Amino acid sequence: MMPLVYAEVGEPQIIKRIGGSPDVKKHLEDMGFTVGGEVCVVSAIGENLIVKVKESRVAVSEELARKIMI
């Protein structure tokens, strides 16, 4: 397992665990990040990642991406 920030760009990954406080977990879940779901890093811009999740593209900070384990 490794944080999402280390994922290869363009490689689909499966979310294995989501860490952080209950508020952070709820926020990520509301954005579409769920355990067992597929996620793909589209690009990395500075400290932010553009991620494809559930047919949508969302931007997540490096801090949040470190809480998503793949």
Side-chain angles (χ1 to χ4, degrees):
M1 249 188 330
M2 66 180 178
L4 183 62
V5 293
Y6 299 121
E8 294 276 328
V9 173
E11 281 289 314
Q13 303 286 339
I14 301 296
I15 299 171
K16 296 193 170 94
R17 186 170 62 85
I18 296 177
S21 69
D23 288 341
V24 170
K25 288 180 182 182
K26 176 75 171 120
H27 177 63
L28 288 169
E29 190 176 294
D30 290 345
M31 292 173 60
F33 295 96
T34 56
V35 174
E38 188 174 291
V39 64
C40 182
V41 176
V42 176
S43 65
I45 303 167
E47 293 185 1
N48 296 317
L49 297 176
I50 305 297
V51 180
K52 181 177 177 189
V53 59
K54 292 191 176 178
E55 304 304 319
S56 297
R57 289 183 181 191
V58 293
V60 292
S61 66
E62 181 181 354
E63 180 183 352
L64 281 179
R66 288 187 180 280
K67 298 183 185 321
I68 302 167
M69 303 300 285
I70 55 171

